[in-house]
Each structure stands twice: as structure tokens, then as C-alpha cells.
């Protein structure tokens, strides 16, 4: 769920960045303002995704736990478990 929120916020951020860049370039009367706005919004999207995933996913699990999957021993299934 967290990754979908990050992607949604990145899309909203990049759209807002696109229109802000287009507005500023329109005031400066630059040529190719759509190209520059698109380029800035794509770069902004990538940067936002990178930092959001790094910031929000860095502590999403406890690395001290290890998982032992279920095992089949002598025709019986031994349950898996987490251990420190």
C-alpha cells in the first residue's frame, strides 16, 4: 500500500511541477516550453520516487529476524518460523 501512495504522490508532484515550469517559462516567453516542462517533470518524478522509496522503505523490516521456511522431514511438514 505504501508503494502505491508513493507513486500517486510522485505523479501529483510531477504534474504540479510541469504546470509550474510551464507557467514560469511562459512568463519568460521561452521557446520549447512544453519540452522543457516535460523534461523537468520527468526528472522531478524520478527524484521524488527515488527519495520517497529510500526514505520510507529503509526501515520497513527488522533485519535481525530471519525466516526459516517449512520443511518436509520424514513425510511430515515442519512449520516455518521467524527467529532472531
Amino acid at each position: 500500500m505504501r508503494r502505491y501512495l508513493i507513486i500517486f504522490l510522485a505523479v501529483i508532484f510531477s504534474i504540479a511541477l510541469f504546470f509550474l515550469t510551464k507557467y514560469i517559462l511562459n512568463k519568460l516567453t521561452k521557446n520549447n516550453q512544453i519540452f522543457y516542462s516535460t523534461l523537468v517533470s520527468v526528472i522531478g518524478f524520478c527524484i521524488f520516487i527515488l527519495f520517497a522509496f529510500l526514505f520510507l522503505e529503509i526501515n520497513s523490516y527488522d533485519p535481525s529476524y530471519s525466516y526459516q521456511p517449512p520443511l518436509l522431514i520424514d513425510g511430515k511438514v515442519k512449520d516455518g518460523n521467524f527467529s532472531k
Side-chain angles (χ1 to χ4, degrees):
M1 180 65 186
R2 195 181 320 182
R3 78 177 71 134
Y4 299 121
L5 179 63
I6 291 170
I7 292 169
F8 175 73
L9 289 175
V11 167
I12 297 297
F13 173 76
S14 65
I15 290 171
L17 192 61
F18 172 82
F19 284 115
L20 178 68
T21 307
K22 186 175 180 294
Y23 175 76
I24 291 171
L25 289 175
N26 195 16
K27 289 291 185 185
L28 296 174
T29 62
K30 288 278 188 181
N31 293 336
N32 296 332
Q33 61 187 352
I34 298 295
F35 172 73
Y36 292 133
S37 300
T38 305
L39 184 65
V40 167
S41 67
V42 167
I43 291 171
F45 176 82
C46 293
I47 290 172
F48 187 91
I49 287 283
L50 177 70
F51 282 117
F53 276 123
L54 286 176
F55 180 71
L56 291 175
E57 297 291 335
I58 195 107
N59 293 324
S60 64
Y61 70 96
D62 187 4
S64 64
Y65 288 117
S66 63
Y67 177 68
Q68 182 180 6
L71 298 172
L72 185 62
I73 300 175
D74 295 331
K76 295 182 181 179
V77 177
K78 180 183 172 191
D79 292 335
N81 59 1
F82 288 95
S83 62
K84 281 194 170 189

